[in-house]
Amino acid sequence: MTLTLPLFASAVLVTGLMGVSPATATTTEHGRAARPLQPAAEAVPERGDIVEHVVAGGVAGRNGVLDYWTPRRMAAAAPIDLLGAAAKVLGAPGTPVHQRSPRIGGARWGAGGSVTRTTGRVFLTVGGLDFVCSASSVKSANKDLVVTAGHCVKDGTGAWADNWTFVPGYDAGRQPYGQFTARRMFVTGPWSRSADDSYDVGMVALNPGAGKHVADVVGGQDIAFGGARGRPAHTFGFPAESPYDGEHLVYCAGPVRADPHDQTGDQGMHCDMTAGSSGGPWLSSFDTPTGRGTITSVSSFKYSDDRSTMYGPYFGTTVKELYTTAERS
């Protein structure tokens, strides 16, 4: 199986996804370092094939997370691997050339619109290391929901993230809408059991920020499941590995295609965004003037020998169930 790389970002470049030392790390089938399973007292199975984690709550818990993320810590949470914590390395030697999109690489988004508010940076801690990802607020019954990559919430079969906070509209250190900490986290069963990249999706229900739901502050994008494959999309995120610095919203746009290696059910888009963009939304039927579209995937991984193609999981029935569970939390 072809080696794959996560799209995470962390303060230091370390062996494997979560910074496990070479002496203690074991290698998964995707080439990621696996940590021994952690006690999961707070992880409870939800209806269907969904796994939930309840975050320590209360005012003290929320304030503890907000206090943790000082400007210095945020600045130090640099990229660890390509396109987020679970980004893969694309392709296998001798594979066909991937279809090229009209855009060759990522570009800074300057057209404004809703996407500049609904997309944000995620700061989190796993195994004592600080990471960054991307995420988007989404329309939901509880008005508190964001969607991101599963590896930006839980380290596959390993630990859940701590100190998880969402900063919508982040730009060059500015936080115009504040921060929203996590209260409940959700991933699919296949991701939690075996780090199956076809299901690398996470949903997080947030605590109110300054007494307001995130949807009341920045709005939320539409989301859809079971749509036609191969539809063009715009993908957004905060890549933090060179040549990017994670300080601005970046996008790619163009056609998508199936995984040519048949290793996942994901679809790929030509895009050179780097680590830190994991979990960023893929928006179909995107309208540039309004900055609105319908989320149909999130940035997940790249293959090692094709770093120009980003892959994202298909939103089918399992992800729909994930959403339905999370929006009712």
Side-chain angles (χ1 to χ4, degrees), residues 28-256:
T28 68
E29 63 175 352
H30 296 304
R32 292 192 284 271
R35 189 179 299 97
L37 290 176
Q38 304 295 314
E42 292 183 309
V44 293
E46 283 292 315
R47 57 183 169 275
D49 202 7
I50 308 303
V51 180
E52 175 187 355
H53 175 73
V54 179
V55 180
V59 175
R62 293 193 295 272
N63 288 343
V65 174
L66 296 175
D67 290 343
Y68 179 84
W69 288 111
T70 63
R72 182 175 180 179
R73 276 203 175 103
M74 285 184 166
I80 185 174
D81 56 32
L82 296 179
L83 296 174
K88 304 175 180 177
V89 186
L90 304 174
T95 56
V97 175
H98 291 188
Q99 180 179 1
R100 298 276 175 160
S101 73
R103 291 206 57 79
I104 299 302
R108 183 172 172 179
W109 179 253
S114 180
V115 71
T116 63
R117 301 186 297 275
T118 57
T119 313
R121 293 192 88 183
V122 171
F123 295 85
L124 64 151
T125 304
V126 179
L129 296 176
D130 294 334
F131 296 84
V132 293
C133 276
S134 302
S136 176
S137 60
V138 61
K139 291 181 179 179
S140 62
N142 58 19
K143 298 184 178 181
D144 290 327
L145 197 61
V146 295
V147 60
T148 186
H151 67 260
C152 296
V153 176
K154 187 177 187 292
D155 179 18
T157 61
W160 291 88
D162 295 317
N163 299 319
W164 204 99
T165 191
F166 175 63
V167 186
Y170 181 96
D171 184 65
R174 293 184 292 274
Q175 303 176 29
Y177 309 106
Q179 297 183 37
F180 295 80
T181 60
R183 59 182 174 83
R184 298 175 79 173
M185 301 176 174
F186 303 84
V187 295
T188 65
W191 177 255
S192 183
R193 287 192 303 272
S194 59
D196 186 334
D197 292 292
S198 296
Y199 299 92
D200 182 20
V201 185
M203 305 249 178
V204 178
L206 305 170
N207 290 304
K212 295 183 179 180
H213 300 289
V214 68
D216 290 335
V217 177
V218 301
Q221 298 286 351
D222 290 326
I223 189 168
F225 312 92
R229 289 178 176 268
R231 297 178 61 192
H234 283 62
T235 179
F236 293 85
F238 291 87
E241 185 177 66
S242 180
Y244 304 101
D245 61 8
E247 293 300 309
H248 305 287
L249 184 63
V250 173
Y251 81 104
C252 294
V256 301

